Amino acid sequence: MNVKEFTAEAYPNLALIKYWGKKDEELHIPTKSSLSIAFRIFWTKTVLKIYPGEGKVEKIAINGIPDDLKKIQNFFDKIKKFYPEIKKYNYIIESENNFPSGAGFASSASGYAALAKALGKFLNLSEKETAIIARIGSGSATRSVPSGDIVVWKRGFNSDKELSNLEEVSKRSYGETLVQKFEGISIIATILSNKIKKISSREGMKISVSNDDGIYNAYVKTEEKDFKVLEKAILKRDLETVFDITIKSAMRLHGIILSYPNNGIPVFYLYDQSLELAEKFIELIRKEGVIGAYTFDAGPNPFFILQTKDEEIVISMLRKLNVNYYIYRL
Ligand code: 2P0
């Protein structure tokens, strides 16, 4: 059998302005722009094996364990429409990732980004096209394709409204590098819990968008304004503004999540200890002059983004509280 192999790797990313909601469920076009920072101590490596066939994914294994074939076949079926070449082959996907269980990072961003990059090598795609494919797998994966430290994922343009063709809209929204190197910054990822969340991000954001009564819409508008301010602040390395917006965007995300219960049942991802740690971090900012921010994804674990020179102060606080953590220095 004539088998060809394409290998690629990708890393997770941490959003400073969050992605939360889609204007298109199929292609994952976001309602709002987002901006993230690379986290390169965790990784996914993927080997894509292809041989003549009819567009079928024959096997997928992650760290040697078979994974959800149906989900990945669905992904291939979606991208077939854009790249008909895919129909001529069958696929075996072998993925490896080094995520410790409960590290607080979802492996779907690096997972789909690594797979999209391997597909990109096979199909000879540009980085932009690869980032669009990754997005069709999982929204935040588009931000794990570009090589830069700081990546933006714009929601598209206002004129998108006039485009009737969803494919064209799709091509306007993908991860792209804003800043290649953003040195002197550390990310501390803490681990409070490794429990699987009751409601996935995908489900959670659908609940927020489908129940919009005006609050979600106002959230999108405010965040879009802050996204533009944040972009400029990053380019000027105005850390005070960067960290101020990071905290606000994290808390707005959780405010929005709490605003839309699921048929009456509260949706909430934070623990008491999540907020206590955020408060302790702010104390370090006030009393010790640390410059930084906390943020949360759709989970309870706080992430701290700060100047590397202030790292020790935060680590000593975490040690005293017996909180486990990982550090990535940009
Ligand atoms: C983010 N999250 O910007 C936000 C913050 C979670 C909270 O992107 O449905 O797994 O696959 O497009 O990418 C998680 O959402 O959702 C996410 P899908 P995804 O990082």
Side-chain angles (χ1 to χ4, degrees):
M1 195 168 50
N2 182 14
V3 182
K4 282 190 193 147
E5 269 189 34
F6 300 90
T7 304
E9 61 183 61
Y11 310 90
N13 66 76
L14 176 66
L16 308 191
I17 285 253
K18 310 291 181 181
Y19 153 52
W20 194 254
K22 303 173 179 77
K23 47 186 177 193
D24 181 78
E25 290 284 337
E26 166 100 359
L27 296 176
H28 303 164
I29 314 284
T31 53
K32 59 196 277 306
S33 306
S34 57
L35 182 151
S36 64
I37 190 159
F39 193 85
R40 297 197 185 92
I41 56 173
F42 298 146
W43 45 256
T44 302
K45 285 182 191 154
T46 295
V47 180
L48 174 70
K49 294 180 180 166
I50 70 163
Y51 45 92
E54 64 284 341
K56 215 174 136 204
V57 181
E58 299 261 31
K59 269 187 214 156
I60 172 154
I62 300 176
N63 293 341
I65 299 161
D67 202 52
D68 190 345
L69 253 182
K70 210 172 138 198
K71 188 175 78 182
I72 217 77
Q73 185 65 56
N74 180 35
F75 167 63
F76 273 70
D77 290 345
K78 280 190 198 175
I79 55 176
K80 262 182 210 166
K81 291 179 204 156
F82 297 90
Y83 301 101
E85 178 84 358
I86 287 186
K87 291 184 205 152
K88 295 188 201 156
Y89 298 89
N90 281 357
Y91 305 87
I92 291 176
I93 301 158
E94 287 158 3
S95 230
E96 225 190 293
N97 62 50
N98 74 336
F99 287 54
S101 73
F105 278 100
S107 54
S108 66
S110 57
Y112 276 108
L115 178 57
K117 282 178 161 185
L119 275 165
K121 285 183 182 172
F122 153 47
L123 298 166
N124 232 338
L125 305 183
S126 65
E127 183 189 271
K128 172 178 162 180
E129 289 163 327
T130 305
I132 292 170
I133 288 196
R135 189 202 69 214
I136 294 171
S138 181
S140 53
T142 200
R143 297 189 312 235
S144 281
V145 170
S147 60
D149 281 346
I150 308 272
V151 171
V152 288
W153 175 22
K154 293 184 185 159
R155 66 174 175 181
F157 303 96
N158 287 339
S159 58
D160 282 356
K161 277 186 240 142
E162 284 121 47
L163 295 171
S164 54
N165 184 344
L166 198 57
E167 267 182 48
E168 284 305 312
V169 178
S170 165
K171 286 178 186 150
R172 302 229 182 154
S173 184
Y174 55 92
E176 45 193 325
T177 293
L178 179 69
V179 177
Q180 195 64 44
K181 281 260 150 234
F182 203 71
E183 284 157 341
I185 297 293
S186 295
I187 301 173
I188 303 180
T190 70
I191 305 172
L192 296 184
S193 164
N194 56 9
K195 278 194 202 141
I196 294 176
K197 50 194 176 210
K198 281 192 243 162
I199 296 192
S200 67
S201 294
R202 187 166 291 189
E203 203 46 43
M205 59 180 88
K206 219 191 250 180
I207 293 167
S208 301
V209 175
S210 62
N211 290 304
D212 184 20
D213 49 4
I215 297 178
Y216 178 79
N217 190 260
Y219 160 68
V220 168
K221 280 194 179 144
T222 306
E223 288 262 301
E224 209 54 29
K225 271 190 219 149
D226 270 0
F227 170 79
K228 287 182 185 129
V229 177
L230 180 62
E231 242 187 337
K232 286 196 186 114
I234 284 191
L235 291 171
K236 286 192 290 190
R237 212 184 155 93
D238 166 5
L239 293 181
E240 205 181 312
T241 305
V242 170
F243 293 142
D244 178 49
I245 291 180
T246 299
I247 292 176
K248 283 182 182 150
S249 184
M251 295 322 283
R252 272 187 208 129
L253 168 76
H254 288 278
I256 278 298
I257 291 169
L258 201 52
S259 301
Y260 294 104
N262 184 23
N263 294 319
I265 302 166
V267 180
F268 203 47
Y269 297 106
L270 300 178
Y271 297 169
D272 286 352
Q273 209 194 348
S274 316
L275 297 173
E276 278 160 24
L277 269 182
E279 227 179 302
K280 288 243 177 328
F281 181 75
I282 294 300
E283 258 173 46
L284 298 181
I285 291 184
R286 301 252 157 84
K287 294 188 183 150
E288 313 265 354
V290 168
I291 296 182
Y294 61 83
T295 184
F296 299 99
D297 274 346
N301 301 323
F303 299 87
F304 301 114
I305 303 157
L306 66 158
Q307 297 195 107
T308 303
K309 65 182 180 61
D310 295 332
E311 222 179 68
E312 270 311 313
I313 302 172
V314 180
I315 290 170
S316 108
M317 178 264 281
L318 294 173
R319 284 210 188 108
K320 268 187 218 148
L321 297 168
N322 265 327
V323 173
N324 292 325
Y325 57 86
Y326 290 89
I327 302 180
Y328 173 61
R329 296 189 187 109
L330 273 87

